[in-house]
Amino acid sequence: MSYTIRPQSAQFKMGISDIAQFETWLSEHRDIIGVSFVGRSNVGKSSMINALFGSKTARVSKTPGRTREINIFEFELNLNGKKSTLQPFYLIDLPGYGHAEVSKEMSKNWNELMGAFFSEASEAMLMLNLQDARHPDQDVDRQFYSFIKGFARKTILVFNKIDKLKTQKERNVLEKLKPVLSKDYKWIRQMYFASAESKKGIPQVEDAIVTHILEELEMRKIHVESDDI
Ligand SMILES: Nc1nc2c(ncn2[C@@H]2O[C@H](COP(=O)(O)OP(=O)(O)O)[C@@H](O)[C@H]2O)c(=O)[nH]1
Ligand SMILES: [Mg+2]
C-alpha cells in the first residue's frame, strides 16, 4: 500500500498578487492540507515543482524573479498507481525572495503577501524551502528565516542543484552546514539533497510531502491505508 503524488494531477487554480484578495482566499481555506514552496528566486522552485508534480505544472523562467504572484494549484494522490479517493490537496508556489533590483513597491507587496501567508495559512501546509546547493545559507536565506522565525512552521529544507556539485569539498561544505542550520532553525524538520534536473533525491522529497499529508489526514481521522505510515 503506498501513496504517491498523482503525476500531472496538479491543476492551476489561480495566481494572486493582491493582498486583499489573498486574505480573502486564506480566510476561505483555513483547513487545507498541502505543501508550499519558497526560496530565493532562481533557486529552482518551478523546476522542483515540475519534477515532483509533472512537467509543465509550473513555469520555469529564464528571467529570475519573474514570478511575483502566489500561484495556487490543487493536486491528487495515487494509491498503488491508481487515483486515490482522497480529497484534493494544495500546492502553493510562493514568490521568491532575494531578487536584486526590486522596487520598494514590490518588496512591500512581498512582505504583505508573505506576512499574510505565514500568519494566516492553514497549519497543515508544509513549507518546502529550497536553497541552492552550490550557494547555500546566503544572507537573503538568513533574512528570510528571521522573517518567518515567529511562525515556526513545519519546514523541510531542500538543497537543489546538487548536480552542480563537482568536488568532494563542495559536498563537505553542505554536510557541515546541516547541523548548524538544525541548531539555528529548530522548525526545520528534515534536510534533503536533490536535483530538479537530474531527478536525484526527488523520490525522497516526494515521500516527505506524502508522509506529511497522511499524518495530517490521520490527525483528522480521515481513513488512509495504514501500512503507509
Ligand atoms: N543544474 C541545475 N539547474 C537547475 C536545477 N533546477 C533548476 N535549474 C535551473 O535554474 C533556473 C531557475 O529555475 P526556476 O525553476 O525557474 O527557479 P525559480 O525562480 O526558483 O522558480 C532555470 O534555468 C533552471 O533550468 C537543478 O536541479 N540543476
Ligand atoms: Mg518560479
Side-chain angles (χ1 to χ4, degrees):
M1 290 290 180
S2 86
Y3 288 96
T4 47
I5 292 170
R6 181 168 172 78
Q8 311 294 350
S9 69
Q11 296 281 333
F12 178 73
K13 290 283 150 184
M14 65 172 97
I16 302 182
S17 57
D18 177 73
I19 181 64
Q21 190 191 0
F22 190 46
E23 285 186 325
T24 305
W25 189 89
L26 286 170
S27 70
E28 289 165 353
H29 295 83
R30 287 260 178 252
D31 297 324
I32 57 171
I33 300 175
V35 57
S36 60
F37 284 70
V38 67
R40 205 147 56 80
S41 38
N42 223 30
V43 72
K45 290 182 298 299
S46 301
S47 308
M48 180 68 59
I49 288 171
N50 288 340
L52 287 162
F53 293 87
S55 56
K56 302 190 190 119
T57 302
R59 214 173 4 168
V60 176
S61 69
K62 295 274 176 236
T63 339
R66 230 177 51 186
T67 325
R68 289 274 155 230
E69 287 184 335
I70 292 176
N71 288 306
I72 302 170
F73 304 80
E74 280 184 27
F75 68 96
E76 291 163 340
L77 294 187
N78 269 353
L79 175 60
N80 300 326
K82 294 210 178 87
K83 187 167 143 68
S84 84
T85 55
L86 297 170
Q87 66 202 82
F89 303 99
Y90 281 80
L91 158 64
I92 300 186
D93 188 8
L94 293 165
Y97 53 80
H99 182 235
E101 292 156 42
V102 290
S103 65
K104 266 205 167 133
E105 198 51 45
M106 267 179 172
S107 72
K108 181 172 167 264
N109 186 237
W110 187 94
N111 272 286
E112 284 175 351
L113 290 171
M114 295 299 256
F117 179 81
F118 287 105
S119 54
E120 292 159 46
S122 164
E123 298 273 338
M125 289 299 291
L126 174 71
M127 182 169 81
L128 194 154
N129 178 223
L130 281 158
Q131 287 197 16
D132 187 327
R134 263 214 317 197
H135 309 285
D137 200 25
Q138 303 275 294
D139 285 349
V140 285
D141 292 315
R142 293 214 161 237
Q143 278 159 24
F144 173 67
Y145 287 167
S146 52
F147 179 80
I148 63 167
K149 199 178 167 74
F151 303 112
R153 292 212 158 240
K154 274 192 213 170
T155 300
I156 61 174
L157 173 55
V158 179
F159 294 100
N160 187 36
K161 309 197 186 183
I162 48 159
D163 59 291
K164 285 194 171 177
L165 298 185
K166 297 294 179 224
T167 63
Q168 192 58 41
K169 208 173 139 206
E170 284 180 304
R171 285 181 200 120
N172 290 345
V173 169
L174 275 186
E175 284 299 341
K176 286 208 184 99
L177 189 60
K178 271 173 136 185
V180 177
L181 292 177
S182 308
K183 190 168 151 283
D184 288 358
Y185 308 111
K186 302 278 184 239
W187 62 88
I188 298 176
R189 301 203 153 181
Q190 288 142 347
M191 298 188 209
Y192 296 89
F193 295 149
S195 165
E197 191 147 299
S198 76
K199 309 289 187 285
K200 203 165 173 221
I202 298 297
Q204 288 75 10
V205 177
E206 179 180 359
D207 270 1
I209 295 170
V210 172
T211 301
H212 161 76
I213 290 172
L214 297 179
E215 283 172 4
E216 292 293 335
L217 291 171
E218 285 269 298
M219 276 183 347
R220 296 175 191 191
K221 308 266 185 277
I222 294 170
H223 177 76
V224 293
E225 301 301 327
S226 54
D227 291 10
D228 220 51
I229 292 200

